[in-house]
Amino acid sequence: MRPRRFLPSLRLLLALDAVVRHRSVTAAAKELDLTQSTVSRLIQSLEEQLGTKLFTRQRKRLVPNAAALAYQREVGAALDLIQSASTRVVANPDGGTLSLAVLPTFATRWLGPRLGQFLQSHPGVSVNLATRIKRFDFSGEVFDAAIYYGPADWPNVAHLKLFEERATACAAPDFIARSGLDAPADLANYPLLYLESRPGAWGDWFQAHNVDLHVGGGMMVDQFSMMIQAAISGIGIALLPDYIAQAEIAEGRLQALHTQAVPMRGAYWMVWPEEKSDVPPLIALRNWLETQVNQDHV
């Protein structure tokens, strides 16, 4: 609940802003299309509501003190935001700006190539993207939504499941040719590349191939893009989500080992604060993502 004392009316705040900017009640009254006495009364009402003196009276002049100057800077910025928001809603009543946090490789390999299609079909909506690897508290960030990988356990948010992850073991063709990798168990004898956020992925892959091995100790990276480059360079064997591996395999820079893609434990999710569930740009993006995922499955 917001205490009314600290929420002065727009009339009072506009009077404060105008008087401080112009340093003149006369000029403020002209801008606001009010009489000088009305502007003076508005300033007095604001001071009474806040219980704080903001101006020194010098004859017919109102001289702002340090508190008034600091207050006007913040009030002026808030008024600018309100004006901008009002302009946007008038120009695009069904549009708006959406700030989305997304995993780096997911952004470049899956979302990025499709996003132009979304923007083209929703001309009133703009999307700001920023990469985040770890989860965060929406209350302390500017994001409207996020896309992450893992279980559906991000607290205090609404979830939309996009798709489960299936992983393919890949290596450079030259690496495979000189290593003579035949059975899944052979991979354990060569350097394996690990993703920091999925330390148990290789164990799951071997288990899916009925290989009981304790694996570990390979190179650890924090992004799939680094893993891909390491594998192409012949440093080791990568375990990549199939939607990421497809491009390098098609280009011949990587080769799949044991072509069956293995289901991993997590899934890709879109999440957002529940109080933003009815924001039009967010609804549009959710519906579009669902359509994209369904088309991929078909």
Side-chain angles (χ1 to χ4, degrees), residues 193-250:
L193 303 174
Y194 289 83
L195 191 70
E196 195 174 84
S197 61
R198 296 163 174 71
W202 272 114
D204 293 341
W205 188 89
F206 281 112
Q207 186 175 9
H209 286 87
N210 299 314
V211 177
D212 186 16
L213 285 174
H214 175 73
V215 293
M219 177 184 285
M220 184 78 71
V221 297
D222 68 351
Q223 294 187 33
F224 279 123
S225 58
M226 298 172 66
M227 181 181 288
I228 290 168
Q229 290 306 313
I232 290 172
S233 300
I235 293 174
I237 305 170
L239 188 58
L240 298 171
D242 53 0
Y243 78 90
I244 294 176
Q246 288 168 359
E248 272 68 28
I249 292 173

Side-chain angles (χ1 to χ4, degrees), residues 2-291:
R2 298 182 176 92
R4 291 181 61 84
R5 174 190 169 190
F6 299 113
L7 286 175
S9 70
L10 196 57
R11 282 191 89 209
L12 301 184
L13 296 177
L14 287 170
L16 166 81
D17 180 62
V19 172
V20 172
R21 281 189 292 104
H22 292 295
R23 298 295 197 275
S24 165
V25 175
T26 302
K30 185 176 181 180
E31 177 183 306
L32 299 172
D33 196 21
L34 299 171
T35 64
Q36 295 179 44
S37 60
T38 299
V39 172
S40 296
R41 286 196 299 271
L42 290 172
I43 294 297
Q44 185 177 358
S45 297
L46 178 61
E47 289 177 320
E48 291 173 354
Q49 182 171 339
L50 295 176
T52 301
K53 280 291 181 185
L54 299 171
F55 293 86
T56 301
R57 272 74 178 169
Q58 295 181 355
R59 297 181 183 176
K60 294 184 178 181
R61 295 180 62 233
L62 291 176
V63 180
N65 60 24
L69 295 175
Y71 190 33
Q72 184 272 337
R73 281 195 297 272
E74 296 191 56
V75 166
L79 292 172
D80 288 341
L81 285 174
I82 293 171
Q83 183 176 352
S84 297
S86 300
T87 301
R88 286 195 299 270
V89 78
V90 170
N92 289 302
D94 297 321
T97 300
L98 184 71
S99 294
L100 181 66
V102 64
L103 297 165
T105 310
F106 183 90
T108 56
R109 293 302 183 96
W110 194 91
L111 182 62
R114 307 161 188 251
L115 195 57
Q117 183 186 106
F118 169 75
L119 296 174
Q120 195 170 33
S121 59
H122 298 83
V125 177
S126 60
V127 178
N128 297 327
L129 293 179
T131 58
R132 290 290 186 276
I133 296 175
K134 297 181 179 179
R135 303 185 196 184
F136 53 85
D137 184 352
F138 275 99
S139 64
E141 294 277 0
V142 298
F143 297 112
D144 301 299
I147 293 176
Y148 80 101
Y149 173 83
D153 60 353
W154 191 319
N156 304 317
V157 296
H159 290 74
L160 169 66
K161 186 176 182 179
L162 299 179
F163 54 85
E164 295 178 350
E165 186 172 271
R166 298 175 62 84
T168 300
C170 305
D174 289 347
F175 184 99
I176 294 173
R178 67 174 181 266
S179 302
L181 299 169
D182 293 322
D186 295 339
L187 273 64
N189 299 318
Y190 295 91
L192 302 178
L193 303 174
Y194 289 83
L195 191 70
E196 195 174 84
S197 61
R198 296 163 174 71
W202 272 114
D204 293 341
W205 188 89
F206 281 112
Q207 186 175 9
H209 286 87
N210 299 314
V211 177
D212 186 16
L213 285 174
H214 175 73
V215 293
M219 177 184 285
M220 184 78 71
V221 297
D222 68 351
Q223 294 187 33
F224 279 123
S225 58
M226 298 172 66
M227 181 181 288
I228 290 168
Q229 290 306 313
I232 290 172
S233 300
I235 293 174
I237 305 170
L239 188 58
L240 298 171
D242 53 0
Y243 78 90
I244 294 176
Q246 288 168 359
E248 272 68 28
I249 292 173
E251 293 167 1
R253 296 197 293 166
L254 289 178
Q255 184 175 325
L257 292 155
H258 313 289
T259 54
Q260 176 190 358
V262 174
M264 295 285 105
R265 298 185 189 185
Y268 290 89
W269 302 85
M270 179 182 178
V271 295
W272 61 93
E274 291 186 353
E275 63 269 19
K276 293 190 176 184
S277 293
D278 59 352
V279 173
L282 189 53
I283 294 172
L285 184 64
R286 284 202 311 263
N287 292 340
W288 176 79
L289 284 171
E290 283 190 288
T291 300

